[in-house]
Amino acid sequence: MQTSREVFIKHYLKQYDDPYQKPPIWMVVELLSIGICHDGTSTLRHQKDRQRIADFFDIDESLLVTAIHHFSVVRNICAHHGRLWNRELVIPLKIPKRIPALSTARFSKDWSAYRIHNSMVMLAYLLKNIHPKNDWVRSGKNLLG
C-alpha cells in the first residue's frame, strides 16, 4: 500500500499515519489482482465459506472458483494485447447446470465452450448481480455491431 499510486490510497496514508489503523476492506479489494482473488477463494479450506461468497451471485461455489480462474486468463490476454476473438482459451468456463436468473440456453455447449462467447454470457450475469442497472450488454452489442 505504501507504494501505491492510487489517489484514494495516497489520501488514506496522508490522513491516517497510525500504523495500527487498518484500511477499509474496499480499499484493499481495489488493489487486489484477479489472480489473488482466485487464490483467495480457491484455497479457502471449507467449501461452505466459498459457497457463502458464491451465494451473492446465486451460483455454485465450484462455478465461482473456475469463473474467477477463467476471467484471470481472459484478463491477462487483454492486458497483453493478445487476440481474444476466435481464440481457444486454455481454461474453459464451466457451464452452469442451473442458474435461476439465467437461461443456460444462452451458453454454448459445443466446441465454443473454449471461446469468448460463454465468458461474455457469464460476465453479463455476474455484472447484473453486482449492478442491476449496468448497460454492459447494450454497450457490447453496440461495439460488436
Side-chain angles (χ1 to χ4, degrees):
M1 247 176 73
Q2 302 292 342
T3 59
S4 177
R5 294 186 302 229
E6 294 288 345
V7 173
F8 65 92
I9 295 296
K10 287 180 180 180
H11 171 75
Y12 176 82
L13 293 173
K14 185 177 171 185
Q15 192 74 18
Y16 304 99
D17 60 358
D18 180 0
Y20 298 105
Q21 177 72 29
K22 304 291 185 222
I25 190 68
W26 71 266
M27 286 187 174
V28 175
V29 171
E30 281 285 323
L31 299 176
L32 295 177
S33 69
I34 297 175
I36 290 174
C37 289
H38 171 257
D39 293 345
T41 54
S42 66
T43 59
L44 285 173
R45 176 177 282 172
H46 303 290
Q47 179 268 342
K48 66 180 180 174
D49 294 332
R50 291 188 301 273
Q51 188 58 52
R52 279 192 202 129
I53 298 168
D55 284 344
F56 176 80
F57 299 104
D58 198 20
I59 60 176
D60 182 65
E61 59 87 23
S62 65
L63 177 58
L64 173 73
V65 171
T66 59
I68 293 172
H69 188 198
H70 173 82
F71 286 126
S72 70
V73 171
V74 170
R75 180 258 170 220
N76 287 338
I77 292 168
C78 294
H80 297 284
H81 307 288
R83 181 177 58 84
L84 193 56
W85 198 257
N86 283 337
R87 179 183 189 138
E88 193 168 304
L89 300 167
V90 180
I91 306 294
L93 183 64
K94 181 180 175 185
I95 297 173
K97 291 183 175 124
R98 187 188 71 80
I99 294 181
L102 180 67
S103 167
T104 56
R106 293 182 184 170
F107 284 95
S108 179
K109 295 179 182 172
D110 59 1
W111 59 270
S112 63
Y114 287 89
R115 306 266 172 137
I116 196 64
H117 170 81
N118 287 346
S119 307
M120 294 170 73
V121 172
M122 180 56 81
L123 191 56
Y125 172 76
L126 295 173
L127 285 172
K128 223 32 166 175
N129 275 287
I130 295 168
H131 180 41
K133 294 182 180 179
N134 83 78
D135 66 344
W136 186 80
V137 171
R138 185 187 55 77
S139 297
K141 285 180 181 178
N142 290 340
L143 181 66
L144 294 174

